Amino acid sequence: MLEQIDDVGQQVVNSLAWAPSWAVSLLVLAVGVAIALGVHRLLYRGLTRLVAERELFWRSLVSRTEGPVRLALMVFCLSIAAGIAPLTPGQTAVLRHILLVLFIGGVGWAALTALHIWTTVYLRKYKLEAEDNLLARKHATQSRILKRVAATLIVVVTTAVALMTFDGVRQYGVSLLASAGAAGLVVGLALQPLLKNLIAGIQLAITQPIRLEDAVIVEGEWGNVEEISSTYVVVRLWDWRRMVLPLSYFIEHPFQNWTREGSALIGTVMLYVDYSAPIAKMREKLEEIARSSSRWDGKVVNMQVTDFRQETMEVRMLVSAGNAGRAFDLRCEVREKMIDWLQREYPGALPRHRNEIDRASKEALVLAK
């Protein structure tokens, strides 16, 4: 079939021998582009109808790869037109080389598009907004890190293959690889931070010491993991600042992850009260505060005397919540309501110096006399 098309094209070109060769060449190439666009339009109408009832992945793949397929058809038709057009051998070689580079770029473009579609469709099954979003954060973190690594590899391989089509670049690359020592050492040292973070990204995707929206304490700051790229991690701090850290940091340095195994947390509230504080009443009040709060998840509420100081005793109150944000707000709510209740009902339970108590006792005796 291609031979028949070539024969017909040659006959048409021969019939236009009276026209300048450059004009005929432009006309042939324009016809090739027009045929490619027409075939593309008909092809995509058929493919759109064919996948209309199929899964989201196939429908998205057809709609998102329209550009790469159009480019591939244009390259194909122009390669045929280059053999028909009255071009010199040098012009034909240059044109076909350009078309080859465009085809390689189109393949890389299609691969990146397919990767993006697959990741997006896969992550639609998981909702980061859910109350217990541990599974969603796990899959989102793995998918996004591996997607960036795969995208980087696709770009590098596509660029390398395109460059290897040029004789000068290929010979330079071979000679560079053949030359031992200094050049390779310099390049290796220069690329060490990039390669280090890429490898760390793969480690993070597999082992997952952190995930998206994890509550972490890094460098003494509390925040949530907002973004994990191929080279760095963005932590959104509690006051809306952003801390940017290299991926390798989370492999080489210790840090706290509050939501490693689940989003639920136990919040701790410490109070220092007088020895005369009514512990049993305080325990009942804590349970009342927890039951009346919408932030409590109904799992843990407890109070214990954990230490004695010279003038006060240490009381630890534990309350649980569904995530780090709610746990923080619930701790603040318990502090405020417990202190307010003690001030109103048991003001003597607040920390006082012993000389104040003795002075108050003496004044009471004087008044009694």
Side-chain angles (χ1 to χ4, degrees), residues 112 115-116 119 140-156 198 201-202 205 212 226-234 247:
L112 288 174
L115 177 65
H116 174 73
T119 306
T141 302
Q142 282 183 334
S143 300
R144 292 181 182 179
I145 292 178
L146 294 178
K147 174 190 173 183
R148 290 188 175 98
V149 173
T152 303
L153 291 176
I154 290 173
V155 171
V156 170
L198 284 176
I202 297 174
L212 291 172
E226 182 178 54
E227 180 185 353
I228 303 177
S229 74
S230 57
T231 55
Y232 61 86
V233 176
V234 178
L247 281 176

Side-chain angles (χ1 to χ4, degrees), residues 271-286:
L271 282 184
Y272 297 90
V273 296
D274 190 76
Y275 288 108
S276 62
I279 299 300
K281 295 290 185 182
M282 291 175 63
R283 186 174 288 112
E284 293 176 1
K285 184 61 179 178
L286 174 62

Side-chain angles (χ1 to χ4, degrees), residues 110-161:
L112 288 174
T113 303
L115 177 65
H116 174 73
I117 293 171
W118 181 85
T119 306
T120 303
V121 173
Y122 178 74
L123 291 179
R124 285 172 65 93
K125 298 184 293 184
Y126 305 100
K127 302 295 182 183
L128 289 174
E129 297 80 12
E131 183 68 25
D132 188 2
N133 59 359
L134 176 63
L135 186 63
R137 291 187 288 109
K138 175 181 178 180
H139 286 274
T141 302
Q142 282 183 334
S143 300
R144 292 181 182 179
I145 292 178
L146 294 178
K147 174 190 173 183
R148 290 188 175 98
V149 173
T152 303
L153 291 176
I154 290 173
V155 171
V156 170
V157 171
T158 302
T159 305
V161 173

